[in-house]
Amino acid sequence: AICYILDLWHAIDVDKMYAFIVESRSYDAAFGMGPTCESHGGCTYCAVAALAMMGRLPALPDKDLLIDWCVKRQHFGFQGRIEKPMDSCYSFWVGASLDILGVGMLIDGESCAQFLKQCEFTPVGGFQKFPEVQQPDLLHSYFSVCGLSLCGLLPPMCAHLNMSRRALDEAA
């Protein structure tokens, strides 16, 4: 993101970065922590956002398979990996991936918002990872608020930079 914001692409080897990201793609079209690693919603977001900022996302093959993987992570709320429970933070990680891929309209915003409401910790505020966990934390609170934006319930965000569009417009 620093190279994108400050236009410092000469400071890194973009071709090597692109190659590493593509090599980190798993058999199911999403991205893991590195080559041969399991696909993960957070890693997929990092890969997709980096490719978008580098201007290399259009060259990524099989985007339809990646979109399919992301869409299949929503089961009311979003899960970060296949066969794992839904977790509030993935409303951002996977939801933002769909947004960057140009298919944010595929997010079931109402369903996602209902899941996030179940994760809200009303006694003191904030959001927790799972509905049954009775303790909010900053990470899940922040990413749940981002998820509510992607669901269309809060002002829009710039998904690839993980900031509000208002903040981006004011900084420009």
Side-chain angles (χ1 to χ4, degrees):
I2 298 298
C3 291
Y4 177 80
I5 293 168
L6 299 177
D7 195 22
L8 290 176
W9 293 109
H10 65 278
I12 62 169
D13 188 331
V14 175
D15 291 331
K16 281 187 181 177
M17 187 167 91
Y18 176 79
F20 176 78
I21 292 170
V22 171
E23 289 168 10
S24 299
R25 202 165 192 191
S26 187
Y27 69 92
D28 56 12
F31 295 88
M33 295 286 285
T36 72
C37 292
E38 175 186 18
S39 294
H40 186 276
C43 299
T44 295
Y45 165 79
C46 291
V48 170
L51 291 170
M53 287 186 274
M54 293 182 336
R56 301 278 182 101
L57 188 58
L60 184 69
D62 299 320
K63 279 191 283 295
D64 56 329
L65 297 175
L66 175 57
I67 290 167
D68 183 65
W69 185 91
C70 290
V71 167
K72 287 179 179 173
R73 301 290 63 77
Q74 187 169 14
H75 304 268
F76 188 46
F78 282 93
Q79 61 182 179
R81 293 181 287 157
I82 294 172
E83 298 299 325
K84 295 292 183 177
M86 296 174 292
D87 177 330
S88 62
C89 68
Y90 293 108
S91 62
F92 169 74
W93 296 118
V94 180
S97 296
L98 288 166
D99 188 68
I100 295 166
L101 289 163
V103 293
M105 77 292 279
L106 297 178
I107 298 170
D108 183 345
E110 184 177 326
S111 174
C112 182
Q114 288 175 3
F115 175 75
L116 292 173
K117 180 69 175 163
Q118 290 180 4
C119 294
E120 185 180 13
F121 193 73
T122 55
V124 297
F127 291 84
Q128 54 222 24
K129 181 175 181 146
F130 307 120
E132 61 276 5
V133 174
Q134 295 300 303
Q135 186 65 40
D137 64 75
L138 289 173
L139 182 140
H140 289 90
S141 294
Y142 175 77
F143 287 119
S144 292
V145 170
C146 294
L148 290 171
S149 172
L150 293 163
C151 291
L153 298 176
L154 294 175
M157 68 179 305
C158 177
H160 68 282
L161 290 174
N162 188 12
M163 64 189 297
S164 71
R165 289 200 190 257
R166 186 187 77 195
L168 180 63
D169 292 343
E170 288 179 14

